[in-house]
Amino acid sequence: MAHTKTTDADELTARRPRDGLFIRVYFGDGRHIGPGMIELLETIRSERSILSAARALGMSYRRAWLLVDEIGRSFRQPVVETHPGRRGHGTDLTPFGERLIALYREIEQASAAASRTAVDELRAALAPLEAGVEIL
Amino acid sequence: MAHTKTTDADELTARRPRDGLFIRVYFGDGRHIGPGMIELLETIRSERSILSAARALGMSYRRAWLLVDEIGRSFRQPVVETHPGRRGHGTDLTPFGERLIALYREIEQASAAASRTAVDELRAALAPLEAGVEIL
């Protein structure tokens, strides 16, 4: 179930129609990281709070917490650290949390650069949009 | 709805846990291509029949037909051609259908090659699997 939730998270982050590559990295045993998890970590970094990040992304605190917990259990090192004494900004990313974001964004950028010619050929082959074509 | 269906198709093709990059190419207007559509086209190529391809992939004929129709409407050129007179092997890919497969597989391979170092670093950071970790 935990992994299904994060797959949903990837879909939920699509607020406007996506453009370009959508990438999840699978590890062969059901574990994976994708754009939903990474966006949550980036929002925790800026909000310094899981609760505020959840609100900013329109998800429940419980859901955000479960996602963070799942990411944390997938890797050897924690991705966030909490400071219970602080009011408000009680959560920061760990250096490994930062590294996870950097690696994922690097994978996206390197993949986009490497496949640009092929993607451009696909775009050039698209039909003009008609009224009958449904848009997400 | 049509695009939601193809997103589901991408999920359905995961019969064993995926390994490596999962890539969809989005065109900024809701249209996209992903592994589910491409696998369907490859199976139509080998089966030379939408019905046989649907059976081989465990989907209904209607669903396979709708997916093929959606791909066809997305691009300027058709991806399959049907030969109503023939018994059995009534459908072939068009040259453009072949090109679509080739371009998608090229995007997958180029992206995997370009992000290998980053993916390896992620794999090296994975926690050992415990009994408590759920696997898809």
Side-chain angles (χ1 to χ4, degrees):
Chain A
M1 287 301 290
H3 294 289
T4 306
K5 275 178 216 123
T6 55
T7 302
D8 294 347
D10 292 340
E11 304 300 338
L12 281 170
T13 56
R15 284 178 203 92
R16 57 180 181 278
R18 282 180 185 280
D19 201 2
L21 301 189
F22 167 100
I23 297 180
R24 278 192 213 117
V25 184
Y26 281 88
F27 299 113
D29 54 17
R31 291 185 287 187
H32 66 273
I33 63 169
M37 287 165 166
I38 297 300
E39 190 180 14
L40 176 58
L41 290 182
E42 287 170 337
T43 311
I44 290 170
R45 174 173 58 189
S46 57
E47 299 286 334
R48 305 188 63 194
S49 153
I50 295 177
L51 178 60
S52 303
R55 281 181 186 149
L57 295 172
M59 63 172 76
S60 70
Y61 174 72
R62 179 182 153 74
R63 180 183 169 73
W65 191 91
L66 286 171
L67 277 165
V68 169
D69 182 61
E70 182 191 340
I71 305 169
R73 280 185 294 111
S74 291
F75 294 97
R76 252 189 261 122
Q77 299 178 64
V79 292
V80 297
E81 55 188 344
T82 54
H83 309 281
R86 278 197 228 156
R87 294 240 159 208
H89 307 297
T91 302
D92 288 310
L93 295 190
T94 62
F96 178 70
E98 296 285 355
R99 186 69 189 144
L100 206 57
I101 293 172
L103 286 170
Y104 178 80
R105 294 304 183 197
E106 183 182 323
I107 288 166
E108 276 193 326
Q109 284 154 25
S111 298
S115 57
R116 187 149 297 143
T117 309
V119 171
D120 286 348
E121 186 176 334
L122 287 173
R123 284 187 201 277
L126 286 171
L129 276 184
E130 324 149 19
V133 176
E134 284 181 65
I135 303 299
L136 266 191
Chain B
M1 287 301 291
H3 294 288
T4 306
K5 276 179 214 119
T6 55
T7 302
D8 293 347
D10 292 340
E11 305 298 337
L12 281 169
T13 56
R15 285 180 203 89
R16 56 179 182 282
R18 283 181 185 278
D19 202 0
L21 302 189
F22 167 100
I23 297 179
R24 279 193 212 116
V25 184
Y26 281 87
F27 299 113
D29 54 18
R31 290 185 287 188
H32 66 272
I33 63 168
M37 289 166 164
I38 296 300
E39 190 180 15
L40 176 58
L41 291 181
E42 287 170 337
T43 310
I44 290 170
R45 174 172 59 190
S46 57
E47 298 286 335
R48 304 187 64 194
S49 153
I50 295 176
L51 178 60
S52 303
R55 281 182 186 147
L57 295 172
M59 64 172 76
S60 70
Y61 174 71
R62 179 182 152 73
R63 180 184 168 74
W65 192 92
L66 286 172
L67 277 166
V68 169
D69 182 60
E70 182 191 339
I71 306 169
R73 280 184 296 109
S74 291
F75 294 96
R76 254 190 258 121
Q77 299 178 64
V79 292
V80 296
E81 55 188 346
T82 53
H83 309 281
R86 279 196 225 155
R87 294 240 160 209
H89 306 299
T91 303
D92 288 311
L93 295 191
T94 62
F96 178 70
E98 296 285 356
R99 185 71 189 142
L100 205 57
I101 293 173
L103 286 169
Y104 178 80
R105 295 304 183 195
E106 184 182 323
I107 288 166
E108 275 192 328
Q109 283 154 26
S111 298
S115 57
R116 188 149 297 142
T117 308
V119 171
D120 286 348
E121 186 176 334
L122 287 173
R123 284 188 202 278
L126 286 172
L129 276 183
E130 325 149 18
V133 176
E134 284 179 65
I135 303 299
L136 267 189

